[in-house]
Amino acid sequence: MNTSDFNFDLPEELIAQHPSGVRGQDKLMLLGRKNGQIQHFMMDDLPKLIQPGTLMVFNNSRVRRARVYGIKETTGRETEFMFLNTIDKDCLIWNTMVKNAKKQKPGMNYKFPDGTVAQIIEHEGNSGTEFRALKFDFPIDENWFEKNGHIPLPPYIKRGDTEEDSERYQNVYANMTGSAACPTAGLHFTNEMLSRLDECGIDRAFVTLHVGLGTFLPVRESQIENHKMHEEWYTISNETATKINNAKKEGRPVLAVGTTSVRTLESAAQKIIKNGGIPGKNAEWIQAGTNSTNIFMYPGYDFQVVDQMFTNFHTPESTLIMLVSAFAGRDNILNAYNIAVQNKYRFFSYGDCMFIK
């Protein structure tokens, strides 16, 4: 398939630059997965749209203050680094995404706000890309990011981060720090909404996938089959695996909140398939554990675990719009997006939401 097959016209004014005035006060589009039927609601209506007994699966990864500015010692100029993941077990070497990467070369030193100095070093696979490995003299921990870092708002939000973003660019249930971007479908949920879902007999489970390289990279291939996803790490607890397997056995829907939850659940199922199992037949649907994934879902993918999806509206020609197109059909998705534009839905991280059922 062509990457251009997933393009659509989006007026710039519909790209949300700020969160809604009150968390959870957002538009909600209900899309029929099979028939493409569209209905318009508000997020407040969600509990009545979900069948009792449904298992909702959330990604509890928390965003670190991963955007850090360093001063290049040779020029005194400020350079922006996005810290993505540690490369070594001692947390001395970090993989980063760098602005003006061609000018940031191995051997160059950078001083960060607290006086820490780090050096770019050679790292396999980074040559000629926007990524650089930074080596420190001591382990970098979350306290360091809290002192030196900024909330890593995505590039389509054309402003600096504020104190408001410290709260609004985190999910209320997030408790496992490690993402370089927020799993933003969860931003629509308040503690009150979670309580209402409980009262409606809707079950809940959590997975952890730390959002990394794949989120930031555009699809540069003209044919989507040639695109390669970077690896990200995910964890599924024993409790969550048991809940998911029980829901599938009992015929209760599994509703994944966000594309990262989808990728986690389907990656776990694919691992079973690679080991010779058939999810739901001669094997469980998923198993607990920590693993890496570079799964790339586009039309033609056969979903094993996820029955329903709650998600945001995604960028044109991105792996995310390809994923939701795999789930609900490209024509259904593009039609829904065009209707969302006509109805002035807000798009992307701080925008409105879609429930695919």
Side-chain angles (χ1 to χ4, degrees):
M1 300 186 75
N2 296 322
T3 300
S4 59
D5 291 338
F6 298 89
N7 197 12
F8 63 94
D9 293 326
L10 178 65
E12 189 170 346
E13 63 267 21
L14 296 184
I15 301 174
Q17 298 297 305
H18 295 271
S20 57
V22 177
R23 188 190 288 263
Q25 297 300 306
D26 307 298
K27 291 181 180 179
L28 168 63
M29 176 183 286
L30 178 63
L31 172 65
R33 181 182 179 186
K34 299 299 184 183
N35 60 17
Q37 182 178 349
I38 291 169
Q39 298 178 66
H40 302 284
F41 295 94
M42 295 296 292
M43 181 63 190
D44 197 54
D45 297 315
L46 182 64
K48 70 183 183 184
L49 302 178
I50 302 176
Q51 175 184 335
T54 295
L55 175 63
M56 299 184 73
V57 182
F58 297 79
N59 180 7
N60 64 6
S61 181
R62 183 174 177 82
V63 182
R64 68 164 46 103
R65 301 179 75 90
R67 176 173 282 125
V68 190
Y69 297 89
I71 302 298
K72 187 189 294 188
E73 288 192 341
T74 55
T75 64
R77 291 182 178 175
E78 187 175 73
T79 302
E80 178 186 314
F81 292 88
M82 180 74 77
F83 284 70
L84 298 167
N85 58 280
T86 182
I87 295 172
D88 67 320
K89 60 183 177 65
D90 297 320
C91 296
L92 298 174
I93 305 174
W94 284 76
N95 205 18
T96 67
M97 186 176 181
V98 190
K99 280 285 183 71
N100 299 316
K102 290 182 180 179
K103 298 181 179 179
Q104 323 307 329
K105 300 177 180 178
M108 291 181 172
N109 293 322
Y110 301 80
K111 182 179 285 187
F112 293 97
D114 67 347
T116 304
V117 176
Q119 184 178 93
I120 292 180
I121 63 171
E122 295 278 2
H123 183 62
E124 181 182 0
N126 278 358
S127 179
T129 71
E130 54 268 84
F131 303 105
R132 296 290 183 269
L134 269 183
K135 184 176 182 179
F136 294 81
D137 291 331
F138 62 90
I140 299 301
D141 58 18
E142 297 307 328
N143 289 330
W144 188 87
F145 288 107
E146 287 297 318
K147 291 178 184 176
N148 294 279
H150 294 260
I151 297 296
L153 296 178
Y156 46 74
I157 293 181
K158 307 296 186 183
R159 61 177 177 81
D161 64 307
T162 66
E163 194 57 37
E164 179 187 35
D165 297 307
S166 298
E167 182 223 346
R168 294 299 298 274
Y169 197 64
Q170 297 281 12
N171 293 315
V172 297
Y173 47 80
N175 57 11
M176 302 294 289
T177 302
S179 277
C182 183
T184 53
L187 293 178
H188 304 280
F189 290 84
T190 63
N191 288 318
E192 179 187 9
M193 173 58 71
L194 295 176
S195 295
R196 289 180 59 200
L197 292 168
D198 290 341
E199 292 168 0
C200 291
I202 297 162
D203 201 0
R204 181 161 67 248
F206 295 96
V207 296
T208 304
L209 182 142
H210 292 314
V211 185
L213 299 178
T215 294
F216 298 97
L217 290 179
V219 178
R220 296 191 175 103
E221 302 286 349
S222 59
Q223 300 292 311
I224 66 173
E225 293 86 353
N226 296 327
H227 177 72
K228 303 298 182 186
M229 296 284 286
H230 282 263
E231 288 194 351
E232 295 168 315
W233 286 90
Y234 68 87
T235 298
I236 299 174
S237 68
N238 288 321
E239 179 185 4
T240 291
T242 298
K243 281 192 170 188
I244 291 167
N245 288 321
N246 285 343
K248 298 299 289 185
K249 288 174 187 174
E250 295 163 9
R252 293 183 288 116
V254 173
L255 166 52
V257 177
T259 56
T260 57
S261 296
V262 174
R263 295 185 71 237
T264 299
L265 299 181
E266 294 298 320
S267 294
Q270 290 301 319
K271 190 172 188 298
I272 289 175
I273 293 172
K274 288 178 182 177
N275 290 332
I278 302 175
K281 292 187 178 179
N282 65 359
E284 298 280 26
W285 280 264
I286 66 168
Q287 294 175 341
T290 296
N291 294 283
S292 65
T293 180
N294 62 353
I295 192 170
F296 178 24
M297 286 174 275
Y298 51 85
Y301 177 81
D302 183 16
F303 286 81
Q304 301 294 318
V305 180
V306 178
D307 303 301
Q308 301 174 2
M309 189 188 310
F310 181 95
T311 186
N312 281 5
F313 291 88
H314 304 293
T315 54
E317 299 187 357
S318 65
T319 61
L320 302 180
I321 193 172
M322 294 170 190
L323 185 155
V324 295
S325 295
F327 191 71
R330 185 184 73 95
D331 291 345
N332 286 344
I333 289 294
L334 291 180
N335 179 58
Y337 276 42
N338 287 329
I339 290 174
V341 168
Q342 294 168 17
N343 286 270
K344 298 193 181 303
Y345 277 68
R346 301 166 76 239
F347 278 68
F348 309 160
S349 294
Y350 275 148
D352 295 311
C353 49
M354 172 186 286
F355 177 22
I356 306 175
K357 182 179 178 180

